[in-house]
Amino acid sequence: MFDHTFVVFSLANYLEYDKIISYNKMDLSQLGRYPKDITQSFKFIWSPRFIHFDELLLLLFYHYHNQNKKGTQFDYITKWLLGKFAQINQLKYVPFEGLKSEDLCTIEWYRLEKITIPSNQVEKPKLLNVAVGSINITVEKCLKGLERWSNITITDKELLFGILRDAYNCFPNKERGTMVLVLPELCYPIYWINDLIRFSKRSGIAVVTGLQYLSDDSKQKYNYLATILPFNSGNKGYRNAFVHIREKNDYSPIEFEVLSQKGFYCRNREIAEYQVFYWKGIRLTPIVWMQTVRNVTWLFICTHIGQPKYRQKLQVLILKNLSCRITVVFNTVRISHL
């Protein structure tokens, strides 16, 4: 419980199990029973170490994913979560009150959410650097990601860590300013997301990435988009990260076809959800596909295949969003210039 370096899923060893589990080789479906109230759980309230807020957010995502039969809404920001975070760590106050969420638009099939991340920076940054990690991920490699161990090798980790290192070394510290690293769809395994969060917290670089396919106890597969936004809190500037993971709203025709050939299936969400993150004076929106989202500063698109017909849709999207900047990342070794 002191060192989580070898625990695949954050706080997995704080859950209850009926049999012996290997915390460093376990599958997501093997996570134990969640306590009804973490403030009443012996392991949480008597934890020998500080439990970080991003760990609670990840644990909340794991729980919702395992319950995600009908597109369960991930309620990431609630007063009870912030209050319990302070309580289990024996804090006398909630350290970041500025974290809040509100609906900007809600209709029958569409929901746009505004999420404000605590920041001492009020004005828009003069410089926003965007690093793009373009990786050649084939359909075959995406399908290998459906299995637990076949798609995460040391070579893959060295490649991904090399991208993180290059992103950090792109600019000297004094010139880095506000920075975002964007990785493509179906790129990053959930089993290594703790490394990505640590990188974001220590470097101050926000990360937007697609996650490799996840499954539950059925044949359904999920395509998730993760957004990691670092921020500082308290007088001493403690490093934190807000982690938001949501399912792709609309799956592509090729996903339906390829997954069905392997005996799996996916389905579009009944209610499409989008987030506008207010972070360090800018408004950014990560999406997986070509939807129109208004009132944003920067639009990040993580997509899998850059076919000509998709390029045409992208050009239409750009024309509808002339007031914001757009960054597009394909799963290819070459970056297309629009």
Side-chain angles (χ1 to χ4, degrees):
M1 296 177 72
F2 288 94
D3 187 358
H4 273 212
T5 304
F6 298 105
V7 177
V8 176
F9 303 108
S10 293
L11 305 178
N13 51 337
Y14 282 68
L15 305 180
E16 300 295 334
Y17 300 87
D18 296 324
K19 58 182 179 180
I20 298 177
I21 294 293
S22 173
Y23 294 128
N24 64 338
K25 293 184 178 181
M26 67 188 306
D27 190 86
L28 187 58
S29 61
Q30 294 178 306
L31 282 173
R33 294 186 302 275
Y34 293 79
K36 294 182 179 180
D37 186 352
I38 60 175
T39 61
Q40 302 298 321
S41 170
F42 177 84
K43 291 184 178 181
F44 279 91
I45 61 177
W46 291 101
S47 173
R49 69 169 185 87
F50 190 88
I51 297 177
H52 298 278
F53 187 64
D54 56 87
E55 293 178 308
L56 289 178
L57 292 173
L58 274 181
L59 190 67
L60 186 64
F61 163 72
Y62 298 145
H63 174 63
Y64 278 131
H65 168 75
N66 289 333
Q67 303 296 321
N68 193 14
K69 307 301 182 184
K70 296 183 179 180
T72 306
Q73 177 179 322
F74 296 170
D75 190 7
Y76 276 98
I77 303 180
T78 56
K79 292 182 179 179
W80 65 261
L81 182 60
L82 291 172
K84 290 183 178 182
F85 162 72
Q87 188 173 347
I88 61 176
N89 287 299
Q90 301 181 19
L91 301 176
K92 297 181 179 179
Y93 62 96
V94 177
F96 30 88
E97 293 286 357
L99 184 61
K100 58 183 180 180
S101 170
E102 60 182 293
D103 287 345
L104 294 179
C105 175
T106 302
I107 56 180
E108 184 177 357
W109 52 271
Y110 178 93
R111 177 173 179 257
L112 180 61
E113 182 184 17
K114 171 185 174 182
I115 298 179
T116 304
I117 310 301
S119 175
N120 296 328
Q121 184 172 342
V122 179
E123 299 181 355
K124 292 183 180 180
K126 297 180 179 179
L127 179 66
L128 178 61
N129 297 310
V130 179
V132 175
S134 187
I135 304 174
N136 184 21
I137 301 179
T138 62
V139 174
E140 290 74 18
K141 192 172 183 62
C142 290
L143 291 176
K144 286 183 180 180
L146 296 173
E147 303 176 11
R148 169 63 176 91
W149 292 105
S150 62
N151 200 39
I152 48 176
T153 66
I154 295 298
T155 302
D156 294 322
K157 197 162 193 176
E158 289 176 348
L159 172 63
L160 293 171
F161 275 40
I163 292 176
L164 300 184
R165 182 171 55 252
D166 291 342
Y168 182 81
N169 294 329
C170 277
F171 306 95
N173 289 338
K174 62 180 180 179
E175 299 179 6
R176 182 176 297 124
T178 303
M179 189 170 180
V180 181
L181 169 63
V182 188
L183 299 174
E185 181 182 7
L186 296 171
C187 167
Y188 209 88
I190 190 68
Y191 306 99
W192 296 342
I193 196 169
N194 289 327
D195 297 322
L196 204 58
I197 294 173
R198 280 193 291 268
F199 165 80
S200 179
K201 290 167 69 173
R202 294 176 180 178
S203 66
I205 299 175
V207 180
V208 178
T209 181
L211 299 179
Q212 293 182 0
Y213 282 120
L214 291 180
S215 60
D216 52 20
D217 55 0
S218 68
K219 291 292 185 177
Q220 184 172 355
K221 300 301 174 181
Y222 301 89
N223 185 338
Y224 286 111
L225 176 68
T227 303
I228 304 172
L229 302 173
F231 65 94
N232 297 333
S233 65
N235 297 330
K236 297 184 179 181
Y238 292 107
R239 297 175 180 178
N240 298 278
F242 178 75
V243 182
H244 188 281
I245 305 176
R246 72 163 175 83
E247 185 186 4
K248 182 178 181 179
N249 289 309
D250 299 298
Y251 287 81
S252 64
I254 192 174
E255 285 183 279
F256 286 101
E257 178 182 351
V258 173
L259 289 176
S260 64
Q261 292 175 357
K262 295 294 181 177
F264 303 114
Y265 69 93
C266 58
R267 59 184 178 188
N268 296 329
R269 293 181 61 87
E270 297 178 1
I271 300 178
E273 290 189 10
Y274 305 97
Q275 289 75 34
V276 179
F277 296 99
Y278 283 60
W279 175 71
K280 292 189 176 181
I282 64 174
R283 302 185 302 273
L284 59 91
T285 297
I287 61 176
V288 182
W289 189 227
M290 316 301 186
Q291 303 94 349
T292 300
V293 182
R294 303 296 179 87
N295 300 321
V296 299
T297 306
W298 207 297
L299 190 63
F300 297 100
I301 304 175
C302 305
T303 189
H304 178 55
I305 300 176
Q307 296 179 354
K309 63 178 181 180
Y310 296 156
R311 180 185 293 264
Q312 294 175 0
K313 290 186 178 181
L314 180 58
Q315 291 172 345
V316 173
L317 175 69
I318 293 175
L319 292 176
K320 291 182 178 180
N321 292 274
L322 292 177
S323 60
C324 75
R325 294 179 175 88
I326 299 178
T327 297
V328 185
V329 187
F330 295 122
N331 283 332
T332 174
V333 294
R334 294 185 303 172
I335 300 178
S336 299
H337 298 282
L338 301 175

